[in-house]
Amino acid sequence: MALANQLALDDRAQWLKQYYFLRAAFSVAWVVAAFAVASSSPVIAGVLLVLYPAGDAAANLVDALRSGGLSQNRTQALNVLVSLATTVAVTVALQMSMNGVLGVFGVWAIFAGLLQLGTAIRRWTSFGAQWAMVLSGGQSALAGGFFIFQAATPAVPSIADVAGYAAVGALYFLVSAVWLTVSDWRARRMQQG
């Protein structure tokens, strides 16, 4: 039974590395598209702004399902709901103003960040190397507050404001993936040596 539990944990750890690499790649691609294409096309910018929280919802859903299901991963289950609601709210806010869109992203960044923080703390004992996800969740919540403040100013924001946030998120996911990979490599070397 202990061997079966260890194999399941190893499988989940392998998935977590892949998941973090995939999240980093998605965010990098989104940031590149935001800077390269979206600045010249409001329609593409709008699609990207809707796609970002929708992608987060899908990623959290897949990760929760691969990690024991939604009932065992309540923070991610809530994150799926929050990100889906944000997707709808961004779609509506795009019809009004970019300030509204940034305000919606601010509220989402706070909730999603706190839920990511909760997920990272829960995973820390099983997988370790969650410090970057803890920092990411905390920083996301702080960035959300800044977005809300910025949305209330007369200056009109752009997708670049969100792209900076996404770029930092990509960095945290990449650091987590690399950290888990190196930790796994070290553990295997110690077992062999």
Side-chain angles (χ1 to χ4, degrees):
M1 190 64 154
L3 181 60
N5 287 342
Q6 185 59 46
L7 290 174
L9 191 62
D10 289 347
D11 182 53
R12 286 173 51 197
Q14 183 63 30
W15 158 250
L16 197 57
K17 285 186 282 191
Q18 293 172 353
Y19 173 68
Y20 287 159
F21 276 123
L22 288 170
R23 291 291 307 257
F26 174 83
S27 293
V28 167
W30 191 92
V31 169
V32 168
F35 283 123
V37 182
S39 60
S40 62
S41 172
V43 173
I44 293 174
V47 168
L48 287 171
L49 288 166
V50 170
L51 180 64
Y52 195 68
D56 189 70
N60 274 288
L61 178 62
V62 170
D63 184 34
L65 294 175
R66 288 287 309 260
S67 302
L70 292 171
S71 63
Q72 290 185 18
N73 297 286
R74 290 191 179 121
T75 53
Q76 287 183 289
L78 285 171
N79 212 338
V80 170
L81 294 174
V82 167
S83 293
L84 288 174
T86 301
T87 301
V88 172
V90 168
T91 303
V92 171
L94 280 167
Q95 310 307 313
M96 298 174 195
S97 73
M98 275 303 293
N99 291 73
V101 171
L102 191 61
V104 169
F105 265 94
V107 171
W108 175 59
I110 291 169
F111 282 111
L114 293 175
L115 291 167
Q116 180 181 342
L117 178 66
T119 300
I121 289 170
R122 179 177 43 80
R123 285 182 164 162
W124 199 306
T125 55
S126 298
F127 303 106
Q130 295 298 303
W131 60 269
M133 290 292 94
V134 167
L135 288 175
S136 177
Q139 188 170 0
S140 178
L142 291 174
F146 180 72
F147 282 169
I148 292 169
F149 171 78
Q150 191 178 1
T153 67
V156 178
S158 73
I159 194 170
D161 295 298
V162 178
Y165 167 80
V168 172
L171 179 63
Y172 279 124
F173 279 117
L174 183 61
V175 166
S176 292
V178 169
W179 198 273
L180 285 171
T181 301
V182 169
S183 295
D184 184 44
W185 178 77
R186 284 182 179 169
R188 289 175 196 259
R189 284 205 47 172
M190 289 182 75
Q191 287 175 350
Q192 293 170 356

